[in-house]
Amino acid sequence: MSVLVPTSLADALQALAEHPDATVLAGGTDLMVELNGGHRRATSVVVVNRVPELCTWRHDPITQTLRLGAGVTYGQIERDPIASLVPGLAEAARTVGSPQIRHAATIGGNVGTCSPAGDGLPVLSALNAEVELVSAEGIRSVPFASFMVGPKRTLREPGELITAITVPVVDGWQGYAKVGVRNAMVIATASASLVADARRGTVAIALGSVGPTILRCPEAEAYAMQHANFSERSLAADVVSHCCELVRLASRPIDDHRSTAAYRRHAVGVLAGRLLRRAFPND
Amino acid sequence: MTDTALPTDVRPGRLGHSTLRPDGVAKVQGTFQFSGDLTADGVLWGATLRSPHPYARILRIDVSGAWKINGVEAVITAADVPGVMTYGLIDQDQPVFASDVVRFVGEPIAAVAANHPDACRRALDAIVVEYEVLEPLTDPEKAVDGSFEPIHPLGNVFRQQRIVRGDQTIEGPIVVEGTYELGMQDQAFLGLEAALAVPDAGGTGVELHVATQWLHEDRKQIAACLGMADEKVRLVLGGVGGAFGAREDISLQVHTCLLALRTSRPVRMAYSRHESFLGHVHRHPCRIFMRHHADHDGRLRRVEARFVFDGGAYASTSSAVLVNGITHAQGPYKCENATVDGWAVRTNNLPCGAMRGFGVVQACFAHEAQMDKLAVAVGLDPLEVRLRNAMETGDRLITGQVVESVAPVQRLIRELAAMPLPGEPVGGHDRDPMRLPGGAGRTADVGNVRRGIGWAVSIKNLMYSEGFDDYSTARVRLADGVATVKFATAEVGQGFVTLAGQIARSVLGVDNVVLDQIDTQVGSAGSTSASRQTWMSGGAVDGACRLVRERMFERVALLHGVDPLGLVIEGTEVVDTVSGLRVEVSEASAGIEFDETFEHHHRPTEDLDEFGQGNCHTAFAFAAHRAVVDVDPELGLVKVVQVATVQDIGRALNPLSITGQIEGGIAQGVGLAVMEEIIQVNGHVKNASFTDYLLPTFLDMPDVVIGLVEEPEPQAPLGAKGVGEPPTVSSTPAVVAAIRDAIGKDLTRVPVRPTDIVFG
Ligand SMILES: Cc1cc2nc3c(=O)[nH]c(=O)nc-3n(C[C@H](O)[C@H](O)[C@H](O)COP(=O)(O)OP(=O)(O)OC[C@H]3O[C@@H](n4cnc5c(N)ncnc54)[C@H](O)[C@@H]3O)c2cc1C
């Protein structure tokens, strides 16, 4: 097995161009588990955690966006200054593994794996994040919603590097909640993110672990938007319960050894209701 | 986390002092050698080929492919076993390698040795096994009712045992009943199975370094399979990273020795976590029906019960676990009349055997749920109904055995009731969302949460039962003020290495104690299980030290012309209580070596007769637990806030060590209550990894408040009862009772799952 450790983006792209079948390694918290378990084989590995361009982030106050390099870790995201810019993503970050895992685990790795249970992903989906992909051929930007095409399946082409995730800095409430059988260090059995953009008057709800991809809930979002009062942060109780029902209907959960479809469907409804109440505390 | 007052007035290093572990610093710093760290010059790696099927006929095994892999030095199957083909702690029904039939997923079929783990892996992949897959027996009831063809020549029932006592016609007036279920818990020790076997020149014998619970029993079974005399097999204890029962049975011992003897090279084997889940026995899943008949005032009149223990594919200790379960069906309560029927049966699920609590965990979960039902039925407080029925010394068990042990059940309950409740409301004063059910997932707000309180009390037998003489041996030498202690007691983390030094220092008046290697070059110590080593090996070390002290006193008496009977140890001196003569122990033992060996035996016990009557147990310990939980009923998530306990310990020989046992036991009890379960579907294991077999984390572990009741046990050599198991036995039912209290639902199964809380 060959292991390449480029120290610049240009070198990393060249390494990938020369070894299109290479496996990218960032924090290794997904990849090493798969390699050690024999679920995945790698002939060559390109290590990207020493590429400075990937490890930086930038807040642009003019465009109101935050550009997170793929190598930014959840340990960074859960703390300020990033946490105050994307509090929902910070909440998701705090649910990832343990402090040790978060120290190594990157947002790019979470997006690279694209598990329906990836904790950052519902927030990225609700924020309409853009995934930046770069290869020797060029650069493209893909909305997260189309980037993820199935469980652990993405639009990333061989030779492409995920370089950054860009999200808007939203004026309003955003949050994430995750159900697991343990109080920490647990894979989500169901999760949800909600972003209420007060300036645009939009509500976005995204669900994790209840479908093959992260699911958005357009009906529930539209219904909430129609009835929400953003300045007073209020939403009527019957609207909340109807939204919960619409969220349950939007979920497409399965039975497995971690839980049942019935429970997952029920749980995302409960989570949506609670997130709506956190966003709109008044009746 | 824990709130206990530890005594400070005892001489450091002596009995009663919270002496630190001799291996503690090395363990914290990572320099301690666990079994998995062992290696030797020219060592080969061993690996095991396992069955992917719960039940299948083996049509053909072709190992020729494995031999073609570079670096492979040995490939062995059942055909290479020179001695007896099967092993087992009680019945020898488990093959070293399956040759005709596989009976559980993970059953060993072949083993290889090679110069690198990768070569081992490739060699295993190259072995071809052809199976005829059979429909597995996974429902234990089908073994009970005989509707499934025998899956083993010895049949599908390991043991059936009844207990029939007193008046069988008693009914009511108050009747409460229920059916309870426990899932399969794993011991989940952190130090995986590992061993190093070093063959003697010429292959006449072998030395095995291994993490185990009982060196001499391992040796007996290994030697039989190797076709060697016992003394040709020498065992040395490898560093053990936890055991909890899972190292009582043979796992990789015979395989490692066979590979070493076959290759004439040292061989190391080490299981992965996945393999460990398949490669050792687990806690028995169990289904229990119980019906209690009581008076209107809540006093028990008769208990009826039916237990079905799923023992999995091989016998292990199932028959003893069964007897422990059914003989503890009454709990720590007076009850004159009983009708109990128990089965331990064979299925194609993972084999089950010993785990902390050994059958009593199952019984206690059921009888404590029943006591709560009874309290409701007669309109009493749950504590009051327990106090009214509390067992006392001199009471008879449903086996007819008189409880001679100290039995301070009422005192435990009263002192527990007086323990402080959590000082913080739901969510805590600081409103840290991590404190709420759901923890880091941020699922709940304070308004979503309900708090509950639950109680449970337990009785647990100590030592082995049913006529078994599980004695322990120790050898103590004293020279120039240095005591050297030798025993074969497996140190699995419980702290016997600490205690042995404390005993020697206290009895002999020395400061300097050397612990010899733990191996089979001294008599058996019995197993590190059944809460027995403080009592049994503690008794052996104490006995050997006393013999040495007698020799030393005789010498001092002779040299100084005093009566040896007037001599005592004070500090590090021999003191004559008559003349006031004082001699340092180092001087009294100068230029000479006193060398004594002692075997401690507990009093004999008996088998049960066909009505389940007989003095089958040695002694008993009691514990009481109170759990406070916060529950999010809508999502079914639980946060155990606090567990308070008062435990009957006899005497606190090392309060810090006891605290460790109690906290650890509660962690395991909380785990069984709310998350720990090996999930099998039609014999296939779905979660053999720590990704999905969930153990409590720091955030799941409650605050623990401990009270110790010290009433020295007259039967016990040091007055101390074992403390390892009771914390696990009644903490699980206390947590479940607290969840019931919070949500008002009849939870009858552990672990309690979110779905049970939401939809149950
Ligand atoms: C104990 C433990 C607990 C965990 N708990 C959680 C949890 O609670 N929630 C959760 O969501 N996840 C969890 N994970 C999974 C993991 O930590 C996260 O998915 C993490 O974000 C992965 O990041 P990484 O940098 O370690 O990725 P890596 O393992 O390095 O890579 C993951 C995948 O992404 C690809 N990749 C990485 N970077 C790039 C890039 N720049 N361009 C293209 N492809 C790339 C890799 O090739 C690989 O396929 C846990 C893992 C462990 C071991």
Side-chain angles (χ1 to χ4, degrees), chain A residues 16 22-34 40 46 48 54 70-72 74 92 95-98 101-102 104-115 117-121 133 156 160-163 176 178 185-188, chain B residues 691:
Chain A
L16 276 182
T23 305
V24 177
L25 179 133
T29 59
D30 272 326
L31 186 63
M32 293 312 294
V33 175
E34 296 198 344
R40 194 160 151 181
V46 176
V48 298
L54 296 182
V72 171
Y74 277 123
T95 75
V96 173
S98 60
I101 293 294
R102 297 198 286 276
T106 64
I107 180 101
N110 213 207
V111 171
T113 299
C114 246
S115 153
D119 281 313
L121 309 185
L133 297 153
R156 189 180 86 89
E160 268 186 325
L161 201 59
I162 303 166
T163 44
Y176 178 70
K178 155 184 173 180
M185 276 280 279
V186 68
I187 295 180
Chain B
T691 305

Side-chain angles (χ1 to χ4, degrees), chain B residues 153-375:
Chain B
L154 296 177
N156 294 345
V157 177
F158 294 125
R159 180 167 176 179
Q160 184 198 2
Q161 176 70 51
R162 287 191 301 161
I163 297 177
V164 180
R165 180 163 186 86
D167 185 347
Q168 300 296 298
T169 64
I170 287 174
E171 299 277 337
I174 303 292
V175 180
V176 288
E177 64 177 55
T179 300
Y180 304 93
E181 242 183 87
L182 298 96
M184 183 185 286
Q185 189 179 19
D186 189 58
Q187 297 84 349
F189 44 59
L190 292 185
L192 294 161
E193 286 87 349
L196 172 73
V198 184
D200 292 348
T204 54
V206 61
E207 182 166 292
L208 182 70
H209 299 249
V210 62
T212 180
Q213 289 179 239
W214 189 355
L215 292 167
H216 285 76
E217 174 63 30
D218 273 11
R219 176 169 78 167
K220 189 176 96 190
Q221 294 182 54
I222 297 165
C225 295
L226 298 180
M228 284 183 177
D230 279 8
E231 57 282 5
K232 294 293 176 198
V233 181
R234 300 178 310 282
L235 264 73
V236 180
L237 187 68
V240 187
F244 311 111
R247 297 190 209 268
E248 240 181 29
D249 296 71
I250 294 291
S251 56
L252 45 59
Q253 287 90 330
V254 180
H255 301 155
T256 316
C257 290
L258 282 171
L259 290 171
L261 289 164
R262 174 54 61 99
T263 58
S264 303
R265 305 240 318 247
V267 172
R268 63 190 284 193
M269 278 187 116
Y271 283 1
S272 67
R273 178 60 58 189
H274 178 86
E275 204 173 10
S276 177
F277 271 105
L278 309 178
H280 64 237
V281 299
H282 310 278
R283 187 186 303 290
H284 286 74
C286 189
R287 200 179 156 87
I288 304 168
F289 167 78
M290 269 195 192
R291 180 186 290 140
H292 283 70
H293 304 265
D295 278 329
H296 291 289
D297 66 358
R299 272 174 233 280
L300 295 180
R301 303 187 69 217
R302 182 161 76 108
V303 57
E304 290 179 83
R306 177 177 182 272
F307 288 73
V308 177
F309 285 91
D310 179 355
Y314 294 104
S316 180
T317 47
S318 281
S319 59
V321 169
L322 168 71
V323 160
N324 252 27
I326 60 171
T327 57
H328 287 74
Q330 76 198 97
Y333 309 110
K334 297 171 196 283
C335 187
E336 299 288 329
N337 308 290
T339 321
V340 181
D341 205 358
W343 301 76
V345 296
R346 192 191 306 272
T347 65
N348 293 114
N349 293 322
L350 293 180
C352 291
M355 182 172 174
R356 198 175 195 171
F358 204 77
V360 183
V361 163
Q362 289 88 334
C364 187
F365 176 60
H367 67 63
E368 286 308 271
Q370 286 285 101
M371 292 308 279
D372 284 342
K373 277 192 182 170
L374 178 58

Side-chain angles (χ1 to χ4, degrees), chain A residues 91 94-95 176-187 257-260 262-263 266-267 270-271 274 278, chain B residues 438-445 448 632 634-635 637-638 679 686 691-692 694-695 697 699-700 754-755 758-759:
Chain A
E91 264 185 8
R94 289 181 200 114
T95 75
Y176 178 70
K178 155 184 173 180
V179 173
V181 181
R182 182 157 72 178
N183 286 302
M185 276 280 279
V186 68
I187 295 180
H257 61 278
R258 289 187 191 130
S259 194
T260 63
Y263 175 80
H266 164 82
V270 173
L271 291 182
R274 291 183 183 175
R278 288 177 193 166
Chain B
R442 283 286 274 121
T443 46
D445 297 298
N448 307 124
D632 178 343
E634 246 187 316
L635 286 177
L637 302 182
V638 176
I679 297 164
K686 294 296 174 189
T691 305
D692 282 316
L694 300 180
L695 295 165
T697 68
L699 257 193
D700 301 282
T755 47
V758 175
F759 304 124

